[in-house]
Amino acid sequence: MDFLKLFLKLLGLAKDHYLDEGTPSARSERPSCPELRFTAPVVEVEKTPAQWEDYFREILKSEFPSYTFREKVKVTDLVGFVSEVCQLYTTRPEQAYKAEWGQPYTFVLESNGAPRAVVMLGSGHSHNENVKYLIARMYAQKLGLPYINFYTQMPNERAYVIERIRKFLN
């Protein structure tokens, strides 16, 4: 061994089978490395609220042609201006809410001029906890309408959306 190989070996920077490549046993011991390929990560571009509405509008038009739908429908357009106030929380009976405070329904599906279901689009994990959405959901339940909500931070693949709406309509 020459001086450089001995020095590297003492430092622990090289192993015998890499230094003595001339021996047949050293060549067979060398581990094979798979070829490394760099693949760029797939970056999914988030849709804007308008793009989500376009996406759902197209699904409703093409997959549910027997229904008409209205967009951004105020809660009071369905229930009227009711004088009652409702309670959302049993632990806070002093807090009462009115229908006009509810989040407008993104889509209302109608058949024969009567509402049949509401579709709500919401973003963030607080969508179900947001008081405006809770008011809208409660009044949909009072009217006996299915309340179908979709989170826009989720993929909402076409087949999933169609299946879920059909499930609520049947």
Side-chain angles (χ1 to χ4, degrees), residues 1-138:
M1 244 191 249
D2 66 309
F3 179 72
L4 180 60
K5 289 182 182 178
L6 180 62
F7 180 71
L8 290 174
K9 190 173 183 179
L10 288 173
L11 286 176
L13 297 176
K15 299 215 183 271
D16 282 336
H17 62 277
Y18 288 140
L19 293 175
D20 299 326
E21 289 182 13
T23 63
S25 64
R27 275 187 230 127
S28 64
E29 291 176 18
R30 181 178 292 173
S32 64
C33 291
E35 185 180 320
L36 297 177
R37 293 184 182 156
F38 176 75
T39 56
V42 176
V43 178
E44 198 166 307
V45 179
E46 290 187 28
K47 294 179 183 176
T48 65
Q51 289 171 323
W52 276 114
E53 289 172 9
D54 290 343
Y55 175 70
F56 275 83
R57 186 180 303 112
E58 190 278 323
I59 290 174
L60 293 174
K61 281 182 183 177
S62 63
E63 299 296 327
F64 303 95
S66 62
Y67 291 91
T68 58
F69 60 90
R70 293 188 290 152
E71 299 181 43
K72 298 180 182 168
V73 179
K74 294 179 184 177
V75 175
T76 53
D77 287 355
L78 292 184
V79 298
F81 282 95
V82 292
S83 60
E84 72 173 1
V85 289
C86 61
Q87 292 178 328
L88 294 176
Y89 308 102
T90 56
T91 57
R92 294 182 260 169
E94 71 281 354
Q95 284 185 325
Y97 300 94
K98 295 181 179 183
E100 60 259 25
W101 298 345
Q103 179 70 24
Y105 300 114
T106 312
F107 298 100
V108 174
L109 295 170
E110 297 178 335
S111 175
N112 297 327
R116 301 293 179 209
V118 296
V119 174
M120 290 291 278
L121 303 180
S123 63
H125 292 290
S126 64
H127 169 62
N128 277 340
E129 298 166 7
N130 188 324
V131 172
K132 289 182 172 199
Y133 286 95
L134 290 173
I135 293 169
R137 180 189 311 194
M138 186 200 57

Side-chain angles (χ1 to χ4, degrees), residues 121-160:
L121 303 180
S123 63
H125 292 290
S126 64
H127 169 62
N128 277 340
E129 298 166 7
N130 188 324
V131 172
K132 289 182 172 199
Y133 286 95
L134 290 173
I135 293 169
R137 180 189 311 194
M138 186 200 57
Y139 278 102
Q141 288 173 344
K142 280 187 170 197
L143 292 171
L145 298 175
Y147 178 92
I148 314 163
N149 63 328
F150 293 93
Y151 298 108
T152 56
Q153 76 270 17
M154 304 303 277
N156 290 314
E157 294 173 357
R158 184 179 181 87
Y160 169 75

